[in-house]
Amino acid sequence: MPQHTSPTEQPRLSRSLRNRHMAMIAIGGAIGAGLFVGSGSVIKTAGPAAIVSYCLAGALVLCTMRMLGEMVVARPSSGSFSDYARSAIGPWAGFTIGWLYWYYYVIIVAVEAVAGAAILHAWLDLPLWVLAMALMAVMTATNLLSVKSFGEFEFWFSSVKVAAIIAFLVVGSLHVFGAWPGSSFDFSNLTSHGGFAPNGFTSIFSAIVVVIFAFGGAEIVTIAAAESREPERSVARATTGIIWRIILFYVGSIFLVVTIVPWDGAEVLASPYVAAWDIIGLPGAGTVMDVVILTAVLSVLNSSVYVSSRMLFALAAHGDAPKWSVKTSKRNVPVRAILAGTVVGWVSVLLAYLSPDTVFTYLVNSSGAIAIFMYVMIGASQLRMRRRLEREAPERLTLKMWLFPYLTWIVMAGFGAVLVAMAVIDDQRTQLFTSLGSLAVVLAAYGIRRTYGPRLTGAGASRGPKIVAEPVAASGEAHRASSLGQPQDIDGGTDARPDARVDRVASTE
């Protein structure tokens, strides 16, 4: 029989992420090397119709972010969708999606470290594994310092990515409209190489499977919201205007790439943006893009270390992970949760060089479809939580999902169709089945945890770690009491604990 334990002193996280950090975390989480390099495989699959693939995938992710934003604004939590799944569906759902998400990102830590090392190797004559370890060590140290240091690094990494995309949008537009030196008004590449959809319109939907993963990471901002000074405002902005900008960056830049570069050219698969810059004729574009891609890789690596640690931290607060991982430093940083994730990353990096074609490939494949599982779980959680909020706390619904519940069901069906597509597409089938294997392992682990693991009693059983505001210099506006003061639990009842009242500090930006 499982033992019942009472929660001890609630661990603390700090509210030190500012609005500018949150804006760039939202953008940086969704724009990685997948756009600059991975888009080549999408273009090869769908041709110029890749534009449509990015539009459809972007719409699915936008709606999912809106659903998640509705829940986060109503009830900010360091565990984000894991905690919402726990409250809306049941403990098994929170445990399952939380551990799958943690696994997904500790593998991404290794993947991005290996990718970054490959770029650096062209400039530094050091073994690849040494470079990969060095990158991981730097990003781990950044996260260990403070959440604000994570936010600052992400702000500047994302700024570089955004600047690169905006520069490409401006120069590329001048080129296709004939306003760039040596160019002419020319959109012929959209149709002159076999038509707009040269591989058939079914290829549009096949490409969506790949595009969905390129948008992965947009949800990171909703986890970071628990450590921001104004979670409601930050998430509301991230799930509306900022996500629209991300989609514009993706769709706009892909439109220019397929307009400038013939989709069937060999250079597209290698690096479509470098190929476009070469045709435009900008000197040194290849080197600049290598720097941008390295920045994108470091951004994802930085975010992956952060988000994996916060998910483990939230799991431990519910008794679903070892209790030692919930400990925080004097700066309110979950040091042990960070180290636990990076240790797995370091082992995975070693496997990438010792067994690249077997063990490491299996690890990557076994996490491939987890993002889709997460999106489906977010939809199911929002369906149930919205109904409860409407009955019990309608005043919390300040940010709402559009066309509820019909659009929620449509989006969930869309992700279901993506999973079906993965089952029938040869090069995606392995990822789906190995990811289902990961799901089965985690579900079995929950059965063991439920039978033999400890159960929290009292307030800690349903509520995550306490978040505290860091003091800031007065800026003419006094500290305002949060609208989340003495919140009513989504499952009913009022939490009257002193720490349930969270001070929201006005931004000094």
Side-chain angles (χ1 to χ4, degrees), residues 103-184:
Y103 175 64
Y104 176 65
Y105 268 102
V106 295
I107 298 301
I108 287 182
V109 166
V111 171
E112 298 299 329
V114 171
I119 297 172
L120 283 177
H121 190 62
W123 305 324
L124 300 174
D125 188 19
L126 293 172
L128 285 170
W129 69 269
V130 172
L131 294 173
M133 292 292 191
L135 290 178
M136 287 188 58
V138 171
M139 291 298 98
T140 300
T142 299
N143 278 268
L144 288 173
L145 184 60
S146 71
V147 68
K148 189 174 181 179
S149 67
F150 154 74
E152 285 295 334
F153 269 79
E154 195 56 31
F155 175 83
W156 292 109
F157 284 152
S158 297
S159 295
V160 170
K161 292 187 286 187
V162 170
I165 294 174
I166 291 175
F168 181 76
L169 290 173
V170 172
V171 175
S173 296
L174 292 174
H175 178 84
V176 299
F177 283 102
W180 188 258
S183 66
S184 60

Side-chain angles (χ1 to χ4, degrees), residues 32-375:
L35 171 63
F36 300 110
V37 180
S39 55
S41 63
V42 178
I43 295 171
K44 275 294 185 181
T45 299
I51 300 167
V52 180
S53 299
Y54 276 94
C55 286
L56 294 174
L60 288 175
V61 174
L62 172 65
C63 290
T64 304
M65 287 296 295
R66 185 73 179 192
M67 289 183 250
L68 190 51
E70 176 184 291
M71 295 185 287
V72 173
V73 170
R75 185 182 176 184
S77 168
S78 60
S80 187
F81 50 85
S82 174
D83 281 351
Y84 305 136
R86 183 185 306 277
S87 295
I89 302 173
W92 71 269
F95 178 97
T96 301
I97 200 63
W99 274 111
L100 284 175
Y101 191 75
W102 179 84
Y103 175 64
Y104 176 65
Y105 268 102
V106 295
I107 298 301
I108 287 182
V109 166
V111 171
E112 298 299 329
V114 171
I119 297 172
L120 283 177
H121 190 62
W123 305 324
L124 300 174
D125 188 19
L126 293 172
L128 285 170
W129 69 269
V130 172
L131 294 173
M133 292 292 191
L135 290 178
M136 287 188 58
V138 171
M139 291 298 98
T140 300
T142 299
N143 278 268
L144 288 173
L145 184 60
S146 71
V147 68
K148 189 174 181 179
S149 67
F150 154 74
E152 285 295 334
F153 269 79
E154 195 56 31
F155 175 83
W156 292 109
F157 284 152
S158 297
S159 295
V160 170
K161 292 187 286 187
V162 170
I165 294 174
I166 291 175
F168 181 76
L169 290 173
V170 172
V171 175
S173 296
L174 292 174
H175 178 84
V176 299
F177 283 102
W180 188 258
S183 66
S184 60
F185 185 89
D186 186 7
F187 289 81
S188 61
N189 281 332
L190 293 175
T191 56
S192 62
H193 295 267
F196 182 70
N199 298 324
F201 283 94
T202 56
S203 65
I204 295 174
F205 300 99
S206 298
I208 288 176
V209 175
V210 179
V211 175
I212 285 291
F213 298 110
F215 281 105
E219 77 290 340
I220 291 175
V221 69
T222 65
I223 294 176
E227 294 179 83
S228 69
R229 293 174 175 178
E230 296 180 292
E232 302 100 319
R233 180 183 174 188
S234 299
V235 172
R237 291 183 60 199
T239 54
T240 51
I242 292 175
I243 295 299
W244 278 112
R245 287 176 223 168
I246 292 171
I247 294 174
L248 173 64
F249 289 158
Y250 268 94
V251 176
S253 60
I254 292 298
F255 172 79
L256 289 174
V257 166
V258 297
T259 303
I260 296 169
V261 184
W263 73 271
D264 53 355
E267 65 275 11
V268 169
L269 197 57
S271 183
Y273 286 82
V274 171
W277 280 116
D278 287 342
I279 292 175
I280 291 171
L282 197 67
T287 301
V288 172
M289 281 307 302
D290 281 342
V291 173
V292 172
I293 293 169
L294 176 61
T295 301
V297 167
L298 293 177
S299 173
V300 176
L301 179 56
N302 186 38
S303 294
S304 299
V305 172
Y306 170 81
V307 78
S308 62
S309 67
R310 269 40 177 198
M311 186 55 71
L312 183 62
F313 181 75
L315 287 167
H318 289 289
D320 288 339
K323 188 167 60 176
W324 53 260
S325 59
V326 83
K327 299 290 185 180
T328 57
S329 69
K330 293 181 180 179
R331 292 178 178 266
N332 307 124
V333 175
V335 172
R336 296 180 181 182
I338 291 173
L339 294 177
T342 53
V343 165
V344 176
W346 284 324
V347 172
S348 299
V349 165
L350 290 176
L351 291 173
Y353 296 106
L354 296 177
S355 183
D357 298 325
T358 52
V359 179
F360 187 69
T361 299
Y362 175 81
L363 291 176
V364 173
N365 285 335
S366 65
S367 63
I370 287 176
I372 308 298
F373 300 160
M374 174 190 70
Y375 292 144

Side-chain angles (χ1 to χ4, degrees), residues 365-387:
N365 285 335
S366 65
S367 63
I370 287 176
I372 308 298
F373 300 160
M374 174 190 70
Y375 292 144
V376 173
M377 191 72 80
I378 289 172
S381 300
Q382 190 262 341
L383 278 173
R384 299 196 65 181
M385 186 171 283
R386 172 68 172 269
R387 295 301 191 195

